[in-house]
Amino acid sequence: MLDEIEISTKQGRLRGLVKKSIGRSNKLYYSFQGIPYAKPPVGNLRFKEPEPYGQWEDSRDATKEGGDSLQEHIIFLNIHGGEDCLYLNVYTTKTGEQGDRKAVMVWIHGGGFFRGSGSTEIYGPDFLIEEDIVLVTINYRLGVLGFLSLENEKLPGNLGLKDQVLALKWVRDNIDSFGGDPNNVTIFGQSAGGASVHYHLLSPLSKGLFHKAILQSGTPMCQWAFQDKPREKTFLLAKELGCNSQDPDTVLEFLMNVPCLDILKAQERQTIRTEKEKIQKSTLLFLPCVEVSGDAPFLPDYPRKMMEKGEFSKVPIIMGLTDQEGLSALAHGEVKCEKINENLSVLVPHDLAITPDSEEELRLGKEILQFYTNTDSLSWDVVPQYVDYMSDIAFAYAEEFSRKCFLKHHTAPVYNYLFTYFSPRAFSAKMIQMAYPDHEADQFIGCGASHADELIHLFKTNIDKIPFTSPTDDDQALMNKLIKAWTAFAKTGNPNCVELNVIWKEDTIQNPCFMEIGKVWKSTDGILFPERIEFWNKIYEKYSYLY
């Protein structure tokens, strides 16, 4: 029987657990899970902006996690969760409002805006909590439930991001009850979580709710992180579910009454994706979008345009990538050589102003394949080069665009990194083996750090069917530096600490630089992947951005 602890908050009394971390120091900490920050978005509140939960009477059980947003599991693809999902978790080594307040780190999970949660399944607090910070992890609405838009005042979009804003307001108003400092909040996230962090930098609704930001492998300029023509996608979904109307009010009323499980199944079906989207799964469907209606939009303009004009919060930033982000395409079993060779135009990014299915698009697709593979067709022999292509169009080019805009307009420090460390414990190794059980892709395991491979060094996993494996000595050394750097940044706005044994320099336009985070940490001059970035610079200069 675990010991319990009860505290008072502005919402009411909470009953949590006293735990011991499974990290380096086995530190005692307090766990408060399943705290509602908004009313359940069910019934008449489906597709509505989140409303604060308010207070409760008596003592509320906070010893177990709240529900996830309805989804297919991010690894095993079984359906779980539901509409009642707006909960958060707080982990702290101190409670009460007396004494020194601790830096707060709010984690926003990834999963393409349609999968994932802030639960301890992947994001256990054991490692970070040992560094004297308060950790908050949150859930938000995903997929159709979180990102459907009719581009009007009734459903302008971005409900999942507005959920996140309300969670940040909850932190501002309540975190002092958990020993946290509401004036020292760092938001951090990976993949869709990293893009979410960047969206909060852009959004007028998020200003003042945080003071530092860490973007891991994701920005709004990534092709998979932004939704264009959202009303068209809403009508496609409604048609798939049996409603052929083109009237927004009729469609909304229809979707309000469709069982949420039917909505999920329709969202996942391939029939509402284009041929390019089926093959190039870097493009998802229901995502953040520009809000063209309403008095207080979360996103008032295209992210690229806002970045170019410097319309973002000027706070200290850490941003970076893994060196083999594109391995995630292998990990999810998405490398289909024959399908791609049937129409090389699928290699052309979605955000280029080029006529779809034209001879020019096909010609550009052939040029892209030739640049990366020096061949005219894709095969397993050149999949490592295809991984570089996927890394660039899904992550690296958008990251470099964001970096340049941050540095051009920023008044606070920016620290850039490239994560290169591989561990046999990494998610990519396990998922590639699951996706290709005949070992045809084993050659790619260990050739670099895939998308999400850094997560096991920040969080303790508790995944069914994948037992937790203790870190190796090398893992432990890497984790010590990574966790110290992330938490030092959360406390001070500067990641430098004695454990690094190297100075992490600020990135600047005049002197671009990044920290290589590997078995050895190295301060490196220049930008990430310069030759590949230059290739895409020339393409975007020629064709320009679609939006």
Side-chain angles (χ1 to χ4, degrees):
M1 181 73 179
L2 293 171
D3 292 334
E4 293 186 350
I5 180 174
E6 192 165 302
I7 66 169
S8 293
T9 74
K10 295 179 180 68
Q11 286 183 288
R13 294 194 64 77
L14 275 178
R15 189 174 72 259
L17 294 174
V18 182
K19 292 188 172 184
K20 186 176 286 188
S21 63
I22 303 174
R24 289 160 295 142
S25 60
N26 302 125
K27 194 169 189 173
L28 284 177
Y29 70 95
Y30 308 117
S31 167
F32 299 92
Q33 298 178 315
I35 305 171
Y37 66 85
K39 294 177 182 177
V42 301
N44 290 334
L45 294 183
R46 178 191 280 184
F47 301 132
K48 298 293 192 299
E49 295 195 4
E51 299 181 9
Y53 186 86
Q55 297 181 317
W56 54 76
E57 297 180 357
D58 302 323
S59 178
R60 183 179 177 92
D61 182 5
T63 63
K64 53 184 179 294
E65 291 166 320
D68 296 345
S69 182
L70 184 69
Q71 62 187 279
E72 287 187 347
H73 191 277
I74 198 166
I75 297 176
F76 305 113
L77 304 184
N78 57 292
I79 293 174
H80 73 288
E83 290 189 81
D84 181 4
C85 63
L86 299 185
Y87 300 92
L88 53 77
N89 312 301
V90 182
Y91 307 100
T92 182
T93 56
K94 181 180 183 293
T95 61
E97 301 179 17
Q98 304 302 314
D100 294 336
R101 324 307 300 142
K102 296 181 183 297
V104 181
M105 300 184 74
V106 180
W107 176 254
I108 305 176
H109 71 79
F113 294 105
F114 76 119
R115 290 178 181 158
S117 79
S119 76
T120 55
E121 183 182 46
I122 294 178
Y123 306 116
D126 299 71
F127 305 153
L128 286 166
I129 200 64
E130 295 182 338
E131 294 302 325
D132 207 33
I133 53 98
V134 177
L135 177 66
V136 181
T137 64
I138 67 174
N139 288 355
Y140 53 96
R141 281 174 283 182
L142 301 172
V144 172
L145 297 173
F147 295 97
L148 198 72
S149 171
L150 282 165
E151 299 184 83
N152 61 17
E153 291 190 7
K154 289 186 177 179
L155 188 55
N158 298 325
L159 292 173
L161 290 169
K162 292 170 183 175
D163 294 341
Q164 296 176 17
V165 172
L166 189 57
L168 291 175
K169 288 180 177 177
W170 184 96
V171 169
R172 177 196 63 193
D173 296 339
N174 294 278
I175 205 64
D176 54 1
S177 298
F178 301 84
D181 184 354
N183 296 310
N184 191 10
V185 175
T186 298
I187 54 175
F188 70 134
Q190 184 269 345
S191 193
S196 294
V197 169
H198 194 160
Y199 274 118
H200 290 297
L201 288 165
L202 296 172
S203 178
L205 303 187
S206 308
K207 287 189 184 302
L209 296 176
F210 61 94
H211 312 93
K212 307 173 195 73
I214 303 175
L215 293 68
Q216 300 172 213
S217 303
T219 90
M221 271 58 67
C222 294
Q223 292 186 74
W224 48 264
F226 179 78
Q227 179 182 190
D228 67 319
K229 301 177 181 178
R231 182 185 291 202
E232 289 184 15
K233 295 179 176 65
T234 300
F235 288 158
L236 275 174
L237 176 76
K239 184 176 181 180
E240 180 71 16
L241 288 163
C243 175
N244 293 309
S245 175
Q246 297 292 298
D247 175 62
D249 289 346
T250 302
V251 167
L252 180 57
E253 182 179 359
F254 171 78
L255 291 174
M256 285 287 291
N257 293 289
V258 174
C260 61
L261 187 58
D262 291 348
I263 289 177
L264 175 69
K265 290 178 179 178
Q267 167 190 301
E268 296 292 338
R269 283 198 284 269
Q270 293 290 304
T271 50
I272 59 174
R273 287 174 168 83
T274 67
E275 286 303 311
K276 180 178 280 193
E277 288 165 345
K278 291 176 186 178
I279 295 169
Q280 196 184 82
K281 286 192 176 180
S282 58
T283 298
L284 307 172
L285 281 184
F286 299 100
L287 301 161
C289 64
V290 174
E291 293 175 49
V292 296
S293 302
D295 296 329
F298 176 89
L299 189 66
D301 202 349
Y302 289 98
R304 178 181 59 83
K305 293 180 180 179
M306 295 181 72
M307 288 297 292
E308 287 176 332
K309 292 185 287 188
E311 295 176 352
F312 53 82
S313 294
K314 311 302 192 294
V315 301
I317 288 173
I318 290 177
M319 62 186 301
L321 302 170
T322 68
D323 63 334
Q324 294 285 295
E325 295 279 359
L327 281 173
S328 59
L330 277 172
H332 291 285
E334 294 171 359
V335 178
K336 314 284 189 185
C337 295
E338 290 183 7
K339 279 287 185 183
I340 292 168
N341 288 330
E342 287 175 5
N343 182 8
L344 293 179
S345 65
V346 299
L347 299 175
V348 177
H350 292 259
D351 59 353
L352 278 175
I354 187 170
T355 305
D357 304 316
S358 63
E359 286 295 322
E360 181 71 356
E361 187 183 48
L362 179 58
R363 187 204 61 75
L364 181 56
K366 292 177 179 178
E367 179 185 336
I368 291 168
L369 184 65
Q370 185 68 224
F371 172 79
Y372 280 93
T373 69
N374 201 31
T375 65
D376 296 324
S377 63
L378 184 65
S379 68
W380 277 101
D381 292 337
V382 294
V383 163
Q385 290 76 33
Y386 178 76
V387 166
D388 288 341
Y389 155 79
M390 287 298 298
S391 298
D392 293 346
I393 66 155
F395 301 98
Y397 191 70
E399 186 88 4
E400 175 59 16
F401 176 90
S402 301
R403 171 194 162 273
K404 287 189 293 188
C405 292
F406 279 136
L407 295 179
K408 179 180 178 181
H409 298 286
H410 222 254
T411 55
V414 175
Y415 298 93
N416 198 12
Y417 74 85
L418 181 68
F419 187 90
T420 64
Y421 181 83
F422 173 79
S423 168
R425 299 167 53 243
F427 285 132
S428 60
K430 295 178 173 64
M431 292 184 68
I432 287 174
Q433 289 168 339
M434 291 168 60
Y436 299 92
D438 295 332
H439 308 290
E440 60 197 289
D442 283 1
Q443 59 182 306
F444 304 109
I445 297 175
C447 65
S450 175
H451 188 63
D453 275 0
E454 79 274 27
L455 295 180
I456 60 165
H457 307 296
L458 291 170
F459 300 96
K460 180 187 175 294
T461 60
N462 302 276
I463 305 173
D464 288 343
K465 305 177 188 175
I466 305 180
F468 174 73
T469 305
S470 297
T472 64
D473 290 344
D474 284 344
D475 289 350
Q476 200 74 61
L478 181 282
M479 289 169 60
N480 183 51
K481 292 182 179 181
L482 185 65
I483 291 169
K484 288 284 187 181
W486 259 228
T487 54
F489 179 79
K491 294 171 186 177
T492 69
N494 187 326
N496 283 290
C497 50
V498 295
E499 287 80 8
L500 297 190
N501 297 318
V502 61
I503 299 298
W504 191 341
K505 297 183 294 185
E506 289 184 30
D507 194 8
T508 66
I509 292 177
Q510 296 78 15
N511 297 295
C513 61
F514 60 92
M515 179 66 75
E516 181 181 335
I517 299 177
K519 188 172 182 179
V520 176
W521 288 44
K522 294 185 292 188
S523 180
T524 305
D525 293 333
I527 67 170
L528 306 182
F529 318 122
E531 292 181 2
R532 286 150 48 185
I533 293 297
E534 181 57 26
F535 172 76
W536 287 108
N537 278 336
K538 291 178 179 177
I539 288 176
Y540 277 89
E541 286 172 5
K542 180 176 180 179
Y543 295 100
S544 78
Y545 288 89
L546 181 60
Y547 43 78

